[in-house]
Structures are given as C-alpha cells and as structure tokens.
Amino acid sequence: MNYHHQSREFALEAPKTLGMHDIQPYVFEEMRLILELSFAVRYLHGYAGIMVAASHNPAVYNGYKVYGEDGAQLPPADAEEVISYINEIDTELHIPMQDEHVMLKQNQLSYIGHNLDHVYVDYIKGLQQQEKLLEQ
C-alpha cells in the first residue's frame, strides 16, 4: 500500500491515545472509503469515527475528519468543540499514548478489514435490491 507522508503512523495516533483511556478502537488494516467508515461506525456501534485523508487538502498533507455515532461528519458546533480541546494542548508530543503492540496483546485494539468489507458490500447490494423493488 502506498501511504503518503506517514499517513499510517498518523492514523494510529488517535487509537493509541484512546487506548490510554480504556477506549476500544477499531482500525482498518488498509485504506478505505469514507462511506465504509460511516457504515463501520454504525455497524460496530462506535461512538465516533476518524478518517485520515488528504480529501480537500493538497495530496501531500493529511487531513483529519471526525464522524459521529450516526456515521455523519460532525456538524460545525460539535467540530468546534473538538477543535477547542485540541487548541488546549500545549505540545502534541507530550500526549500519553499506549503502545500499539501492547494494545494488540491486551485486546485493546482491533484491526478490521475484509470481513467488514463483505458485510458492507452485502449491505449495499441489499439497498440496491430494495431500490429495484420500489421501482416495480
């Protein structure tokens, strides 16, 4: 896989931080579409989802998007609240983080991938079939 500018490492920063607070993060093994992240948050009954992607930024930069438990991107008021917490951080390098390998060993971190892909594709196929039935 071709990661840009340490995207994979950056994508693990949030889960490793959450691990310090006994929050169970799920991380995709490889890059996925935002639509699948939205589905995964709802399917796994997650509180939030985080997408690290260039998106609207130039491709050389990583962007950071947060999605709520409904699978939608945070509305402006909620995003501003998150940003206010981020702005309170003096030095990002001093944020305590759990080690990825320790988290895996203690089942505090779960990698997700192809199994969820199949569930997602089946879900999309089901929607397409429902649409076809409604057209009849």
Side-chain angles (χ1 to χ4, degrees):
M1 173 170 313
N2 184 17
Y3 287 100
H4 297 316
H5 301 278
Q6 296 184 309
S7 296
R8 184 179 193 291
E9 292 80 4
F10 184 48
L12 283 172
E13 295 297 299
K16 290 179 349 184
T17 302
L18 294 171
M20 291 299 296
H21 302 280
D22 295 324
I23 298 170
Q24 170 73 45
Y26 295 91
V27 178
F28 280 110
E29 296 168 320
E30 298 172 323
M31 291 186 284
R32 295 295 191 282
L33 298 172
I34 289 174
L35 294 173
E36 190 168 351
L37 170 67
S38 174
F39 173 80
V41 170
R42 291 175 283 131
Y43 180 78
L44 297 170
H45 306 287
Y47 181 72
I50 299 169
M51 174 64 75
V52 175
S55 188
H56 296 66
N57 302 321
V60 297
Y61 299 110
N62 287 311
Y64 193 89
K65 292 184 178 184
V66 180
Y67 293 78
E69 59 190 318
D70 62 354
Q73 192 167 351
L74 290 184
D78 293 341
E80 287 298 323
E81 185 176 353
V82 170
I83 290 169
S84 73
Y85 287 114
I86 292 170
N87 288 336
E88 290 177 11
I89 299 168
D90 290 327
T91 305
E92 294 84 4
L93 298 176
H94 294 136
I95 297 172
M97 289 187 288
Q98 183 66 276
D99 180 80
E100 174 188 6
H101 302 293
V102 170
M103 291 177 70
L104 287 168
K105 189 179 236 182
Q106 296 176 350
N107 294 319
Q108 293 176 319
L109 172 66
S110 296
Y111 280 100
I112 55 177
H114 298 293
N115 289 340
L116 187 64
D117 293 345
H118 295 299
V119 174
Y120 175 66
V121 169
D122 288 345
Y123 174 76
I124 296 300
K125 286 179 181 177
L127 291 177
Q128 291 171 334
Q129 290 172 352
Q130 289 176 9
E131 185 176 320
K132 289 177 185 174
L133 289 174
L134 290 173
E135 292 174 357
Q136 294 179 0

